[in-house]
Amino acid sequence: IVLTQSPATLSLSPGEGATLSCRASQSVSSYLAWYQQKPGQAPRLLIYDASNRATGIPARFSGSGSRTDFTLTISSLEPEDFAVYYCQQRSNWPLTFGGGTKVEIK
Amino acid sequence: EVQLAESGGGLVKAGGSLRLSCAASGFTFSNAWMTWVRQAPGKGLEWVGRIKSKTDGGTTDYAAPVKGRFTFSRDDSKNTLYLQMNSLKTEDTAVYYCTTSSIVGTNGNVFDIWGQGTMVTVSS
């Protein structure tokens, strides 16, 4: 399953909201996760099964969607949220990741 | 504290071999399904494969690009995961992460515990 993330880059200011998209080439039901990665660091799980926040993840992060279309929403960007975000499906083998969306400071 | 720590990365020539280790602590390693994910420089994440716990059969699954060249193993007495990489290619150059899941009900396929990664560079 191919996961296509858009946009590739999102230029925003702190305090603004962010909407990131992940589209699957076929249905993954709700088996989609979102990760955040900062330079030189390992990925960090944010959301799993489309809308479940992982432990310790702030409420400003939310996920929605099902089947082929998914969204990660950051309600109000904090300085530490500028990073690259990846989606990942666990519906079909092999597990696959999207190409990433970079959220950069405008 | 739950931790994973990879080691063993380095520079190797194409066609060569390398063995990575991943030391686990803070959780019951013997029950964990362990996964390797890699990231080429400036690129996205790529699932490499996984090894199940011995109680679940200890079976392995590999991504197509590495099947037949990479081998996963585990030593539960040492809480350590291994990745034996043979016949290395320049396209195997990447940071290699070991990862696992503590989230119930996801078949171990959502990753909330990660190591810091170890860099493997394959030269031509």
Side-chain angles (χ1 to χ4, degrees):
Chain A
I1 294 178
V2 176
L3 299 178
T4 302
Q5 292 188 240
S6 62
T9 303
L10 205 46
S11 298
L12 296 167
S13 300
E16 289 192 290
T19 302
L20 287 65
S21 174
C22 177
R23 178 161 290 177
S25 59
Q26 64 187 77
S27 175
V28 298
S29 185
S30 61
Y31 299 132
L32 190 102
W34 291 93
Y35 299 83
Q36 175 195 68
Q37 188 179 33
K38 297 178 182 179
Q41 295 185 16
R44 174 193 181 197
L45 177 67
L46 300 174
I47 301 286
Y48 66 96
D49 292 355
S51 60
N52 297 297
R53 263 190 308 275
T55 302
I57 302 303
R60 64 181 181 272
F61 291 94
S62 63
S64 63
S66 65
R67 295 182 58 80
T68 61
D69 289 291
F70 298 87
T71 300
L72 174 69
T73 301
I74 310 171
S75 59
S76 177
L77 284 162
E78 296 288 338
E80 62 267 28
D81 298 337
F82 292 91
V84 179
Y85 293 83
Y86 295 96
C87 56
Q88 175 238 324
Q89 65 83 21
R90 67 175 185 91
S91 173
N92 283 57
W93 216 246
L95 305 183
T96 50
F97 291 88
T101 290
K102 182 179 182 180
V103 178
E104 65 176 24
I105 299 177
K106 188 174 181 181
Chain B
E1 183 187 2
V2 172
Q3 278 192 327
L4 294 171
E6 302 92 339
S7 60
L11 176 63
V12 61
K13 289 191 174 181
S17 298
L18 205 59
R19 188 176 85 154
L20 307 183
S21 300
C22 170
S25 60
F27 64 99
T28 306
F29 177 76
S30 59
N31 291 343
W33 294 14
M34 300 299 298
T35 293
W36 289 96
V37 172
R38 68 183 180 182
Q39 186 170 35
K43 302 296 185 183
L45 302 169
E46 180 184 18
W47 177 82
V48 176
R50 76 158 178 207
I51 181 168
K52 294 183 179 180
S53 63
K54 285 194 168 65
T55 54
D56 290 316
T59 54
T60 52
D61 296 284
Y62 298 92
V66 308
K67 197 169 186 178
R69 300 187 298 120
F70 287 14
T71 303
F72 310 138
S73 61
R74 61 192 300 157
D75 185 338
D76 291 345
S77 69
K78 295 182 178 179
N79 289 343
T80 302
L81 171 72
Y82 300 102
L83 169 53
Q84 177 67 45
M85 302 186 291
N86 298 329
S87 303
L88 280 161
K89 305 176 180 181
T90 55
E91 52 264 39
D92 295 320
T93 294
V95 174
Y96 284 74
Y97 295 101
C98 61
T99 181
T100 190
S101 178
S102 70
I103 301 174
V104 175
T106 61
N107 284 336
N109 291 327
V110 171
F111 310 113
D112 62 326
I113 302 168
W114 292 76
Q116 83 287 353
T118 187
M119 183 70 203
V120 172
T121 303
V122 184
S123 66
S124 55

